[in-house]
Amino acid sequence: MLELKNIRKTFRKGKESVYAVNDVSLNIQAGEILGLVGESGCGKSTLSRIIMQLLLPDSGSVHLNGTNLSALPLSAIRHHRLDFQMVFQDPYASLNPRLTIFSTLGEALQQRHPQLKGDELRQRVGTLLEMVGLSSRLMQRYPHEFSGGQRQRIAIARALAPEPRIIIADEPVSALDVSIQSQILNLLRHLQKDLGLTMLFISHDLSVVRYLADRIVVMYRGKIVESGDAEEVFDHPKEAYTRQLLAAVPKLPSVVGPV
């Protein structure tokens, strides 16, 4: 579904060039959740923005379902962007405070289905809200009328609206209380099961990623230092940096209960 080949990205720091992403290659299979883990500043978010074509790499290429996105003009990228959607860390900042939830989700739905209008559009918005565990009666409210966890559910619904092939989730639970994190992780897991979601889930917390991901990739100073099945990486880490991550982060309580 998604393949990155030898991605490099540098930024200027004074007179020096600093590698944010240094020769990174990885792939994600259809229906898989790949967890990308590393501390702040390791290059995870830069990599996510390169995948979304919000940043251009210095070298390397991004392939989505066999199409080399890196070789396409901007006009074609806009069309393909419906196939890869993003869920950001701060759900309030990522939602337009001046738009109702109906307008936010309706606009996203119409990107893929411009013919949707009136009652049919309203019904589709309601279905999206219920899919993420919210009542369809809330669609005329504004983002400030929701809690952080509810806003993140809305952000997830907006990402799902254009029927993407893959979702990039960049630290989507780190700004939420631990109990709310559990609910959002449960929701994502149910959505993967029900919809066959393909997802790149980015986090600094291995314990969070372990619950959700099929495979884990560990990133350090712009490079991938370890990868493998989630349980294998968690239970038998090979690299000292991975062991440090495991030792440094608090463990997430058992993720149980309703979504």
Side-chain angles (χ1 to χ4, degrees):
M1 180 64 71
L2 179 71
E3 184 178 16
L4 309 185
K5 295 182 178 180
N6 307 112
I7 298 292
R8 295 179 186 269
K9 182 65 180 180
T10 58
F11 294 105
R12 297 291 297 178
K13 187 176 182 180
K15 296 182 179 181
E16 298 182 355
S17 294
V18 178
Y19 274 111
V21 179
N22 190 359
D23 197 27
V24 167
S25 297
L26 58 82
N27 63 79
I28 305 176
Q29 303 299 319
E32 177 184 45
I33 296 181
L34 179 68
L36 177 61
V37 184
E39 63 190 347
S40 296
C42 75
K44 306 186 305 298
S45 292
T46 298
L47 190 63
S48 73
R49 282 155 177 75
I50 289 172
I51 294 171
M52 292 293 297
Q53 303 295 293
L54 300 173
L55 282 177
L56 295 178
D58 299 333
S59 61
S61 57
V62 178
H63 299 256
L64 180 66
N65 204 34
T67 299
N68 183 357
L69 300 179
S70 306
L72 297 178
L74 182 59
S75 58
I77 289 296
R78 287 179 179 146
H79 172 73
H80 279 281
R81 194 165 280 138
L82 294 177
D83 290 332
F84 48 104
Q85 293 293 301
M86 197 160 186
V87 178
F88 295 92
Q89 179 178 357
D90 185 346
Y92 188 68
S94 68
L95 296 172
N96 189 331
R98 298 185 178 182
L99 294 182
T100 64
I101 303 311
F102 172 77
S103 296
T104 295
L105 299 185
E107 183 180 74
L109 282 165
Q110 288 175 321
Q111 295 302 306
R112 178 75 73 179
H113 303 288
Q115 77 282 0
L116 285 177
K117 299 185 186 303
D119 289 342
E120 188 178 4
L121 179 60
R122 186 175 298 275
Q123 183 178 1
R124 290 286 293 272
V125 169
T127 299
L128 270 176
L129 286 172
E130 290 169 1
M131 187 182 296
V132 298
L134 295 174
S135 170
S136 59
R137 293 177 294 179
L138 302 175
M139 67 175 69
Q140 293 301 334
R141 294 188 182 182
Y142 290 86
H144 73 271
E145 299 180 80
F146 295 88
S147 67
Q150 289 174 321
R151 286 195 287 262
Q152 196 61 293
R153 289 173 185 266
I154 294 164
I156 292 168
R158 182 182 58 186
L160 292 173
E163 301 168 12
R165 293 181 180 271
I166 185 168
I167 288 178
I168 314 298
D170 188 3
E171 298 273 10
V173 299
S174 63
L176 306 175
D177 293 340
V178 171
S179 61
I180 306 302
Q181 287 184 20
S182 301
Q183 294 175 20
I184 298 301
L185 291 174
N186 264 327
L187 171 64
L188 291 173
R189 196 170 193 181
H190 279 272
L191 288 171
Q192 185 210 18
K193 181 180 178 181
D194 295 341
L195 304 177
L197 281 184
T198 304
M199 184 185 306
L200 176 63
F201 186 92
I202 300 170
S203 178
H204 63 278
D205 189 339
L206 264 173
S207 61
V208 169
V209 172
R210 182 194 192 187
Y211 173 75
L212 195 64
D214 301 298
R215 287 190 298 127
I216 291 177
V217 171
V218 181
M219 199 168 178
Y220 178 61
R221 293 187 176 180
K223 290 188 174 184
I224 291 175
V225 296
E226 185 161 355
S227 64
D229 291 342
E231 293 299 321
E232 182 67 21
V233 171
F234 199 93
D235 293 335
H236 306 288
K238 297 176 182 178
E239 298 295 323
Y241 176 68
T242 308
R243 293 193 289 271
Q244 291 173 10
L245 282 179
L246 284 168
V249 298
K251 298 296 185 271
L252 189 72
S254 205
V255 185
V256 296
V259 297

